Amino acid sequence: MIKFLLERDTWQEVWDSLTKNKLRSMLTMVGVWWGILLLIGLLGSAKGLENSFNRLFGSFATNSVFVWGQSTSKPFKGFQEGKQVRLTLSDAKLVEENVEGIEFVVPRNQNQSLVVRDFLSGTYSINGDFPLLDKVQKKKMMYGRFINQNDIDEKKKVAVISEDIYKQLFEKDEEMIGQYIKINGMNFTVIGMFENGNVNMGPTSDIHIPFTTFQQIYNQGNQIGWMMLTGKPEYDITQIEADAKLILRNLNNIHPEDTRAFGSFNLGKEFKKVTGFLVGMQFLTWFVGIATLIAGVFAIGNILLITVKERTKEIGVRRALGATPFEIKRQIVVEAVFITLLAGFFGIITGGWILIGIDSAFGQGDEAVLVNASVSIAVVFIALIILIVLGTLIGLIPAFKATSIKPIDALREE
């Protein structure tokens, strides 16, 4: 077979077949070209959407849930309806110790305060945080560092600011590390600056200070605003959320059926919805692309049937001169595979150009909808293998048709 493919006569015959009716050959390849283009374009766009989603949520531990206290909707154990629920550090510790599957519990606090530097000022969200936050919600530090345990232990007046805060309170290219800003009338040393996030989960994070310092300057005691629970990968975050709320109800004397006492946002559940959508989109893309390819390949098979009919006399002569049925079939199958692959290569190239255009139009900047819309080399190889298989199978139909005619009958064909 390899020797046959290397022979010049084989490809000369393929070329003659293609150029005999150029318009028909081109129209024959349109279906496969469009199928591959559609497959590459849709898969690349789906990948771009996935990349965009991963960029938005990449800094978060996605198997997480946020829980905060609200007000009760049912009276219980002497407490009236409408009691305000205040979570504490003790609550967070007991949840961490008693809920199976918990990896991290991160207590957090927040307040709005006036921030002043020289003659510039603004009201921003001040977050009291532990160093653990940087593990579950990674900050992309541009300069300096995040809060560490020493800051917590010594209740240091240090602050980590966002890129936006820097632009509003500092001059362009001005050094901010070691500089002072006033928060709630007290001087804080800037120790780091982080890149603006593309998505905010929970309240906006403008400035981070040590949790213990926050407790002191805002007189919060052991109260916390909310807690972020992160589950181990093998555990269901929805079950972790339910178990945590059950413990918190017991700790805070809340009716077992009170659904309003605690608010929550289950990032893990939402993340699964989106990833499920992306998987479904990729499946649909493969289905549509392959279905279009099959339609295009069938068109090639139909055209080859017409070509075989036109070449009936030629095939009869070749049979009469000693060509075996296998040799006739082999030539027609090679033609089918070649036409299919040629159309496929054009489709891959065109699809690549389209993805470059999509990336240029929709993949630039922080608000990009499709980030790096592309397909992997593996996908291209899979597409080519599918084309070879389909081309071979569809080529067998006209091949068997060609060899089903007896040589004497073929020679009589007008």
Side-chain angles (χ1 to χ4, degrees):
M1 185 64 179
I2 295 176
K3 181 181 177 181
F4 170 75
L5 292 175
L6 295 176
E7 290 178 358
R8 183 177 178 180
D9 289 345
T10 300
W11 298 107
Q12 184 63 49
E13 190 168 342
V14 171
W15 178 252
D16 290 343
S17 177
L18 286 175
T19 55
K20 188 175 182 180
N21 193 323
K22 296 184 180 66
L23 179 61
R24 186 172 68 189
S25 297
M26 290 177 61
L27 293 176
T28 299
M29 294 189 290
V30 165
V32 173
W33 167 80
W34 176 249
I36 282 288
L37 186 152
L38 194 65
L39 185 64
I40 296 295
L42 289 177
L43 280 177
S45 298
K47 184 63 177 177
L49 188 62
E50 182 181 351
N51 290 338
S52 177
F53 178 76
N54 288 335
R55 187 173 76 168
L56 288 174
F57 293 92
S59 63
F60 282 86
T62 51
N63 198 34
S64 300
V65 61
F66 302 85
V67 180
W68 59 90
Q70 299 183 147
S71 58
T72 60
S73 61
K74 295 177 181 291
F76 190 64
K77 290 188 177 180
F79 293 98
Q80 297 298 312
E81 176 186 349
K83 180 186 76 167
Q84 189 66 36
V85 181
R86 302 286 186 185
L87 296 177
T88 65
L89 285 172
S90 300
D91 292 337
K93 185 173 180 59
L94 287 168
V95 166
E96 184 175 15
E97 291 173 349
N98 293 282
V99 175
E100 186 180 4
I102 286 276
E103 185 170 19
F104 299 116
V105 175
V106 187
R108 302 193 66 190
N109 264 326
Q110 186 181 82
N111 211 327
Q112 297 290 317
S113 288
L114 180 68
V115 179
V116 180
R117 182 174 184 271
D118 295 335
F119 300 104
L120 300 173
S121 65
T123 300
Y124 306 108
S125 63
I126 311 300
N127 297 267
D129 286 309
F130 288 98
L132 186 57
L133 178 68
D134 198 40
K135 286 188 177 181
V136 298
Q137 187 179 330
K138 186 69 177 175
K139 296 294 179 185
K140 297 179 181 177
M141 300 302 298
M142 301 175 69
Y143 300 99
R145 63 173 177 83
F146 195 65
I147 295 161
N148 61 29
Q149 190 58 43
N150 188 48
D151 299 329
I152 298 290
D153 295 339
E154 298 186 11
K155 301 179 182 177
K156 287 187 176 181
K157 291 184 175 64
V158 293
V160 182
I161 65 174
S162 70
E163 186 180 359
D164 278 343
I165 301 298
Y166 171 78
K167 291 176 181 177
Q168 294 173 40
L169 298 182
F170 291 83
E171 298 295 330
K172 186 177 181 182
D173 298 326
E174 183 181 359
E175 176 63 42
M176 98 290 296
I177 302 297
Q179 298 296 316
Y180 290 98
I181 58 176
K182 280 192 175 182
I183 302 174
N184 208 31
M186 286 175 270
N187 283 324
F188 278 72
T189 305
V190 177
I191 60 170
M193 180 178 80
F194 59 91
E195 183 180 330
N196 293 328
N198 294 314
V199 66
N200 287 316
M201 281 294 150
T204 305
S205 297
D206 291 329
I207 299 175
H208 298 272
I209 66 174
F211 188 92
T212 48
T213 308
F214 187 99
Q215 285 178 303
Q216 192 173 55
I217 67 173
Y218 291 105
N219 195 27
Q220 290 291 302
N222 283 328
Q223 290 184 355
I224 61 176
W226 74 100
M227 64 178 79
M228 182 177 179
L229 313 177
T230 302
K232 295 175 182 177
E234 65 271 20
Y235 284 85
D236 181 11
I237 193 63
T238 303
Q239 185 60 49
I240 289 174
E241 177 187 1
D243 293 344
K245 285 184 177 180
L246 178 61
I247 289 174
L248 291 173
R249 286 192 186 96
N250 292 333
L251 291 172
N252 290 274
N253 294 314
I254 293 168
H255 195 286
E257 297 178 3
D258 192 337
T259 58
R260 200 179 69 186
F262 297 103
S264 62
F265 176 77
N266 195 318
L267 178 60
K269 186 164 66 174
E270 298 303 316
F271 186 80
K272 285 180 181 178
K273 287 180 183 178
V274 177
T275 51
F277 166 76
L278 291 174
V279 169
M281 186 175 176
Q282 289 180 340
F283 173 80
L284 182 62
T285 296
W286 277 106
F287 178 79
V288 171
I290 291 176
T292 308
L293 279 179
I294 291 173
V297 171
F298 268 109
I300 290 176
N302 289 332
I303 295 299
L304 285 176
L305 283 172
I306 296 172
T307 304
V308 165
K309 185 171 179 60
E310 292 175 349
R311 296 164 61 186
T312 300
K313 192 169 184 178
E314 172 199 329
I315 292 170
V317 171
R318 292 180 63 184
R319 291 286 302 279
L321 292 175
T324 65
F326 173 74
E327 291 172 339
I328 301 294
K329 292 175 185 176
R330 182 177 59 184
Q331 181 64 41
I332 294 172
V333 169
V334 167
E335 290 180 19
V337 172
F338 178 77
I339 294 172
T340 304
L341 282 177
L342 185 62
F345 278 122
F346 280 122
I348 290 170
I349 293 169
T350 312
W353 286 342
I354 288 175
L355 291 181
I356 291 172
I358 288 174
D359 189 60
S360 177
F362 304 105
Q364 307 303 314
D366 292 337
E367 303 299 323
V369 178
L370 302 172
V371 177
N372 189 26
S374 59
V375 293
S376 65
I377 297 298
V379 169
V380 174
F381 275 118
I382 291 171
L384 291 176
I385 290 170
I386 290 172
L387 286 177
I388 292 171
V389 172
L390 291 177
T392 302
L393 293 176
I394 207 68
L396 290 173
I397 298 174
F400 279 105
K401 176 69 175 176
T403 55
S404 66
I405 306 172
K406 295 179 180 180
I408 189 67
D409 295 331
L411 292 171
R412 288 174 181 166
E413 185 74 23
E414 291 296 333

